[in-house]
Amino acid sequence: MSRLLSKLSPLIHKNSRSIRSFSSSTTGPCVSICTIMEPSPDGNLGQLLLFNIPDLKLVTADKTYPDELYDAQLVGASHGWGLFSNRTNRSVLISDYLNPYASKSKPKMIHLPFFTPMYSGQTEVVCNVAMSCSPPDQDDNQEDWVVGIKFLGRQLSLCRPRRDLRWTNILTPFESWEISKLMYSKKDQRFYLLAPGGNYLCSWDLNFKEDKKPKFHELVLHDLPNMPRSHSKLLDSFSREDHWVESPSGESFLVKWYCEYSPENTSNWCKSPTVLVFREEETKDGRKNMRYTDDIGDLCIFISKGEDFCVKASSHPGLQPNSICLHGRLFVILNLTKRTLGCYEYPQGIPKRIPYLPYWLPPFSP
């Protein structure tokens, strides 16, 4: 167990008063905290609050709050765009409102077809959303922009917005619970979905209308870390999430996040996590060979309820290389080099009560 994270570092961030408005510099990766809204004759004036991870500061952006989002709930995020579902009429849209550099008065709103549940599915609970790319401009080619939504249960829905009038619904070969994550591989041009247990991947290419059958990939794990049998059994009793992440250069990683459930402490019900990382080495005959590693180099992996992503730490001063940032059951960073864990805390200057929005947002640029 000596190769696993075991030491708890001091709090990374506590009661900071640092606040900055967005400028010409890059913002993010960050977390969307909330929007403070004030009604006015000229429209609903809002202030978007983001927690910027590299410098651990609160970032504010003044915006007009769109009427379309007034009764909508953020249910997913991908490429910095939010997926919003209206709680009254069940309409769905994608918006760049969470981008601090987007239009202050007219953020982009892209309406999607209404969800249609399959005979054995439901569309009330969204697990996550994944997109093949950011929405292109209206005049650009829309063919390569695909939105995928994984619902609780077996339903997966895909569509090309601005082209498709309805979703293409696919019945996955297994039940997916809340932690089941859909992701898009830019390198392979496929949507990937991990099967329960994390031993198989299902995938669909962009020709999903003609061929709804998934391609199966077996994940073969190598060089698992040495640990006492008692500890291995203990990990098996923990809650676990499996995540498939792709780096900017096209490397693929399987991240297994173990967390102990502690019902006695309801304010922080998960104890210190254990994370195992496996790097894809080769694919042969449908089998992906995954080798355990505690060195992902200059990369920083971000895992949340949104689409997971990976950035180069050196491109964003303040980020720690060879680290993993978790947001969901915990709000922490794990440094694989130092084998330490640090807890994030929101800065001062935010409302006492904020919505639960466990979504990392990638870096934004003007």
Side-chain angles (χ1 to χ4, degrees):
M1 193 58 186
S2 60
R3 299 176 70 188
L4 303 181
L5 297 166
S6 58
K7 185 172 69 174
L8 182 66
S9 72
L11 289 177
I12 291 178
H13 188 278
K14 187 173 183 179
N15 296 332
S16 170
R17 294 181 179 274
S18 299
I19 300 176
R20 70 175 175 89
S21 298
F22 71 95
S23 61
S24 59
S25 62
T26 300
T27 295
C30 56
V31 173
S32 173
I33 299 176
C34 66
T35 295
I36 301 175
M37 187 176 63
E38 295 183 2
S40 73
D42 299 327
N44 298 319
L45 299 180
Q47 186 180 58
L48 176 67
L49 303 183
L50 302 172
F51 182 34
N52 192 51
I53 295 302
D55 59 12
L56 300 173
K57 291 183 179 180
L58 182 67
V59 176
T60 65
D62 295 327
K63 289 173 173 281
T64 299
Y65 195 76
D67 292 337
E68 295 95 324
L69 302 184
Y70 186 77
D71 198 27
Q73 180 181 8
L74 180 65
V75 296
S78 176
H79 291 269
W81 290 68
L83 175 73
F84 296 86
S85 176
N86 190 291
R87 290 166 289 199
T88 302
N89 60 19
R90 308 303 300 168
S91 61
V92 189
L93 59 84
I94 287 177
S95 173
D96 66 351
Y97 176 79
L98 299 176
N99 184 341
Y101 300 101
S103 173
K104 292 183 178 180
S105 57
K106 293 183 179 180
K108 294 180 180 179
M109 300 284 174
I110 304 174
H111 290 268
L112 304 179
F114 283 88
F115 294 145
T116 53
M118 303 179 72
Y119 67 92
S120 60
Q122 61 81 37
T123 56
E124 297 292 325
V125 182
V126 173
C127 287
N128 81 302
V129 58
M131 299 195 300
S132 59
C133 60
S134 296
D137 292 334
Q138 192 79 19
D139 297 333
D140 293 341
N141 183 17
Q142 307 287 329
E143 186 68 23
D144 293 333
W145 177 38
V146 178
V147 177
I149 297 179
K150 184 65 190 70
F151 297 96
L152 189 69
R154 297 184 61 185
Q155 180 167 333
L156 167 66
S157 297
L158 301 166
C159 84
R160 287 182 168 85
R162 299 184 179 143
R163 295 177 64 93
D164 294 343
L165 299 179
R166 59 182 61 88
W167 295 89
T168 297
N169 294 328
I170 297 173
L171 196 65
T172 61
F174 48 80
E175 292 277 352
S176 296
W177 306 108
E178 188 178 3
I179 57 176
S180 178
K181 298 294 294 294
L182 181 71
M183 67 83 65
Y184 180 77
S185 168
K186 183 178 179 181
K187 179 188 69 173
D188 300 334
Q189 296 187 325
R190 303 185 72 89
F191 284 94
Y192 284 111
L193 183 66
L194 277 165
N199 296 320
Y200 289 90
L201 271 175
C202 288
S203 70
W204 294 263
D205 63 19
L206 299 183
N207 193 34
F208 53 87
K209 284 188 176 182
E210 287 71 25
D211 186 6
K212 297 182 179 181
K213 294 182 179 179
K215 183 178 179 180
F216 289 90
H217 315 262
E218 182 182 3
L219 303 181
V220 183
L221 307 185
H222 300 277
D223 292 349
L224 274 73
N226 295 323
M227 64 180 71
R229 184 175 179 82
S230 59
H231 199 105
S232 179
K233 287 185 176 181
L234 187 62
L235 282 184
D236 290 339
S237 68
F238 287 177
S239 172
R240 191 188 80 227
E241 297 183 17
D242 297 316
H243 298 261
W244 189 258
V245 191
E246 187 173 274
S247 74
S249 63
E251 280 189 296
S252 296
F253 297 92
L254 172 65
V255 180
K256 291 181 174 288
W257 171 11
Y258 298 84
C259 208
E260 182 179 1
Y261 175 63
S262 178
E264 294 83 8
N265 186 359
T266 56
S267 62
N268 186 13
W269 60 269
C270 280
K271 297 182 180 180
S272 298
T274 295
V275 170
L276 303 180
V277 182
F278 298 85
R279 176 188 276 112
E280 181 185 4
E281 288 198 335
E282 62 178 347
T283 299
K284 186 176 181 180
D285 298 328
R287 305 175 70 185
K288 292 180 177 289
N289 290 298
M290 312 297 300
R291 194 167 302 278
Y292 172 79
T293 181
D294 55 9
D295 183 8
I296 58 174
D298 188 36
L299 299 176
C300 184
I301 294 176
F302 288 82
I303 290 177
S304 67
K305 284 181 65 64
E307 186 175 13
D308 303 324
F309 61 89
C310 186
V311 300
K312 292 183 64 175
S314 58
S315 300
H316 306 280
L319 289 184
Q320 299 182 33
N322 197 31
S323 62
I324 299 177
C325 296
L326 306 175
H327 192 13
R329 290 188 173 93
L330 291 173
F331 189 26
V332 300
I333 178 172
L334 299 109
N335 189 303
L336 301 179
T337 301
K338 300 177 181 179
R339 301 191 179 101
T340 57
L341 179 148
C343 302
Y344 291 114
E345 284 192 358
Y346 286 125
Q348 288 187 353
I350 67 173
K352 292 183 178 180
R353 300 183 63 183
I354 60 175
Y356 178 62
L357 300 174
Y359 302 106
W360 290 117
L361 300 175
F364 296 109
S365 298

